[in-house]
Amino acid sequence: MHSYSLAGGDRLPTLGLGTWKSAPGAVYAAVKQAIALGYRHIDCAPIYQNESEVGRAVAEAIASGQVSRGDLWLTSKLWNDAHAPDQIQPALEKTLADLRVDALDLFLIHWPVLFKPGVIFPRRAGDYIALDDLPISRTWQALEACVAKGLVRHIGVSNFSLGKLDDLCRHATIRPAMNQVELHPYLQQNALLDFCRQNNILVTAYSPLGSGDRPAGMKKRDEPSLLDNPVIGRVAAKHGITPAQTLLAWGLTRQTVVIPKSINPLRLKENLAAADLRLDPDDMAEIAALDLGYRFVDGAFFTGSGSPYTLASLWDA
Ligand code: A2P
């Protein structure tokens, strides 16, 4: 498995298993299968509501001698209701208990959006905390303390715009190791990628296949399909690979991490095989023209009536 290097000599496998939308009943088998196939990186989050099943599969794979803890890269995330400095370590410890490990490889601030403690999903104005009232820099300091305590090896962010990441870098003692964002040919985010390259921040592409299995409430009418795009289909046919593999190879050629989600044994295998694929400059030029600046996961669900967050403030657009 190819990997990218991080501070301290750690290596992050370039292709990981996404677990968002994997139902608790299915994710256990998917993680076990994935590890047996050769996946060594699993992307998790408490909001996916399946971390204890992921943890059971990981623990069994380790107990059986199939892999050691050191062979696996585990990422998880801080949910929006636990940004307050005194909430962070308890939230992290819950994730560690669910995943059945002593430390995470990478812990990310899931969104630059804050809720009151205990709010899983906001329903009313009073459920939110504005960023001005609890700045990300304070949350970050508490994450840095978790590194010092050995609870996490690396810390980073997710869904951060270039402006928010730049601001965080100015306040951070430990620079963020990662920004995990939605990335695919319809949302190429070149300026953000350039900024991350220049600042030695790795980037993970989430929804690399377009996350067609999002819940209905998170889907818009007439969404464009990535897997059925004719350009993607042509590049796939040229290389004798599938459209999904083409999308993953595109992300890997751009030197991002990709975390395709699947609970299907054949697709798990197909996606892992993409870890060794790269596209050529002609393919990349053709796919570059597909950029629409289109977000499948635009965060509109955090901008309901009374929310201090808007799409413009979220993405600094
Ligand atoms: P399934 O879990 O049944 O395989 P994303 O990673 O962008 O969130 O996309 C996940 C969606 O893509 C899921 O619906 C998943 O379904 C599907 N998927 C995963 N791998 C493939 C593949 N190789 N070809 C087609 N669809 C795939």
Side-chain angles (χ1 to χ4, degrees), residues 21 207-211 213 244 260-264 267 270-271:
K21 308 176 261 73
S207 298
L209 308 177
S211 282
D213 56 345
K261 170 266 175 183
S262 184
I263 50 167
N264 173 292
R267 290 193 282 273
E270 175 185 329
N271 296 345

Side-chain angles (χ1 to χ4, degrees), residues 93-108:
E93 282 169 346
K94 167 83 167 79
T95 276
L96 292 176
D98 282 347
L99 292 176
R100 306 193 197 186
V101 292
D102 297 330
L104 286 179
D105 298 288
L106 179 62
F107 191 43
L108 307 176

Side-chain angles (χ1 to χ4, degrees), residues 172-253:
T173 303
I174 301 176
R175 306 263 290 184
M178 172 68 70
N179 191 15
Q180 180 179 131
V181 292
E182 179 180 342
L183 276 184
H184 44 68
Y186 296 151
L187 184 67
Q188 303 195 10
Q189 308 221 54
N190 291 317
L192 181 63
L193 244 63
D194 287 345
F195 176 86
C196 289
R197 272 194 207 107
Q198 283 156 16
N199 288 278
N200 224 357
I201 299 168
L202 291 169
V203 177
T204 296
Y206 79 66
S207 298
L209 308 177
S211 282
D213 56 345
R214 270 167 292 123
M218 288 180 68
K219 282 189 150 185
K220 293 173 229 107
R221 280 179 32 229
D222 304 328
E223 288 191 342
S225 164
L226 272 171
L227 288 163
D228 296 332
N229 181 283
V231 172
I232 300 299
R234 233 181 3 255
V235 173
K238 173 178 144 185
H239 293 283
I241 60 179
T242 67
Q245 289 176 322
T246 306
L247 292 166
L248 299 175
W250 176 82
L252 294 168
T253 306

